[in-house]
Amino acid sequence: MLTTKIVTIERFLLDTQPDYARGDLTALLYDLALAAKVIASQTRRAGLLDILGFADNVNIQGEEQRKLDVYADDIVVRLNDHTGRLCSMVSEEREDWIPIPAKYPKGHYVLVFDPLDGSSNIDTNISVGTIFGIYRALDDERRGRLEDCLQPGRDMVAAGYILYGTSTMLVYSAGQGVHGFTLDPAWGEFLLSHEGIRFPEAPKYYSFNHASAGRWSKPMKQYVDWLSASQTPILSQRYLGSMVADFHRNLIHGGVFGYPDEYNKPDGKIRLLYEAAPLAFLAEQAGGYGSDGKGSLLDIRPTHIHQRTPVFIGNRNLVEKAEAFIVGS
Ligand code: AHM
Ligand code: MG
């Protein structure tokens, strides 16, 4: 007979949040778990969109990915704009930050998110993910402002991602370790499956887009040569081009994911606020590290909600070695 405890995400959130986080933050995380279920139910049907259509039965050839992005964005906003827990949001899908409509009460938190990262992979049935970060409002008395959204990652109170893979997983941290939940589609519940995740000490993978090597700096090439040639045991290279999935694999098996600057992309590709910083927060909580190649991603104060940054993230020693190559050059 199985004796493993079955713990739902709701039970876990209620039992583990510190006192200051009880209430709004817990409820916000639970609302994100609900968004995850709704988005998962649509991404699972992605391959059927050409046959069955999507949402209002409009089926525009070649538009599926964009539509799932927009759908995911819409679900997160509509589940969260009226709850009185948020004062503002930022989404990769929207050019401007999102104020809470005046007709709804304002809360104390800021939600930044990428609704469906890696969505160019959808039409080949490769995993995609939602990334989120949560900050406290700077001034509880006022309605949300742009300044509330432009905080350094160090001030985040919680971060996480949802991975739409062979299973749907929600992985989050509210500053007390990193915990993973797997969606049981039959029960419609996220169940605790990975408590207290830490990067394994011996990493297995490095994840860079080698096709970009011709556009990397010399120290960057030297670093990737070092990753591929100087490790014992030897690291394998894995790169899906879907950052949540690449990060998750490396979190579970150990490794480093990177998207450096290139001569035609001086700040790389990854967005600081809602892609790099939340994953860096999780990495630190799991004993790892996230850097822009010069210092912690969590120490950068964004000046623009969609600003990009070079990214190196994973096992601390591997990320620090990237800094040694780049800064030491
Ligand atoms: P997106 O936000 O448009 O989906 O782009 C981000 C994605 C990441 O998930 C992934 O790491 C990266 O783009 C892959 O880019 P490339 O194909 O240049 O390697
Ligand atoms: Mg993205």
Side-chain angles (χ1 to χ4, degrees), residues 18 33 41 50 61 64 80 84 91 100 116 128 131 133 181-182 184 195 210 230 247 308 317 329:
S41 74
D50 276 348
Q61 192 73 24
E64 308 93 301
N80 287 287
S91 165
I100 297 303
L116 215 52
V128 291
I131 310 172
F181 300 80
T182 302
D184 182 325
E195 189 170 4
H210 271 277
S230 307
F247 176 86
R308 298 175 194 272
N317 61 324
S329 64

Side-chain angles (χ1 to χ4, degrees), residues 59-74:
N59 178 17
I60 305 166
Q61 192 73 24
E63 288 279 277
E64 308 93 301
Q65 297 155 19
R66 189 186 68 77
K67 292 182 114 206
L68 275 173
D69 281 351
V70 172
Y71 178 82
D73 169 80
D74 188 52

Side-chain angles (χ1 to χ4, degrees), residues 231-290:
Q231 308 297 308
T232 325
I234 287 171
L235 300 182
S236 283
Q237 199 269 355
R238 293 279 190 284
Y239 188 80
L240 277 167
S242 190
M243 187 169 55
V244 175
D246 280 315
F247 176 86
H248 183 74
R249 183 198 49 246
N250 293 352
L251 175 63
I252 300 300
H253 291 300
V256 58
F257 165 88
Y259 206 114
D261 53 298
E262 299 170 10
Y263 73 71
N264 60 339
K265 293 182 197 161
D267 297 315
K269 178 179 184 189
I270 306 299
R271 316 284 185 149
L272 172 63
L273 185 59
Y274 42 75
E275 295 179 329
L279 296 188
F281 182 89
L282 291 168
E284 278 206 6
Q285 285 291 319
Y289 180 40

Side-chain angles (χ1 to χ4, degrees), residues 94-111:
R94 303 194 189 202
E95 196 176 333
D96 294 322
W97 68 281
I98 309 162
I100 297 303
K103 63 183 171 184
Y104 297 134
K106 169 207 91 81
H108 303 314
Y109 291 101
V110 179
L111 175 66

Side-chain angles (χ1 to χ4, degrees), residues 170-212:
L170 188 152
V171 175
Y172 89 100
S173 174
Q176 298 191 315
V178 179
H179 311 292
F181 300 80
T182 302
L183 181 64
D184 182 325
W187 292 8
E189 285 282 2
F190 277 105
L191 304 178
L192 180 63
S193 53
H194 298 66
E195 189 170 4
I197 307 171
R198 309 277 300 169
F199 283 95
E201 272 182 30
K204 283 175 88 166
Y205 300 118
Y206 69 100
S207 310
F208 291 81
N209 186 347
H210 271 277
S212 305

Side-chain angles (χ1 to χ4, degrees), residues 90-170:
V90 171
S91 165
E92 189 196 62
E93 284 295 317
R94 303 194 189 202
E95 196 176 333
D96 294 322
W97 68 281
I98 309 162
I100 297 303
K103 63 183 171 184
Y104 297 134
K106 169 207 91 81
H108 303 314
Y109 291 101
V110 179
L111 175 66
V112 298
F113 64 101
D114 183 350
L116 215 52
D117 185 64
S119 54
S120 64
N121 288 300
I122 287 176
D123 61 352
T124 48
N125 204 6
I126 287 171
S127 305
V128 291
T130 301
I131 310 172
F132 62 89
I134 299 169
Y135 293 87
R136 272 202 76 95
L138 293 174
D139 183 345
D140 276 348
E141 300 306 313
R142 305 172 68 149
R143 291 197 78 87
R145 292 168 300 155
L146 176 62
E147 295 94 294
D148 291 308
C149 308
L150 295 176
Q151 299 186 52
R154 192 67 68 199
D155 295 340
M156 231 178 292
V157 293
Y161 57 80
I162 299 131
L163 174 60
Y164 310 99
T166 42
S167 304
T168 300
M169 278 196 77
L170 188 152

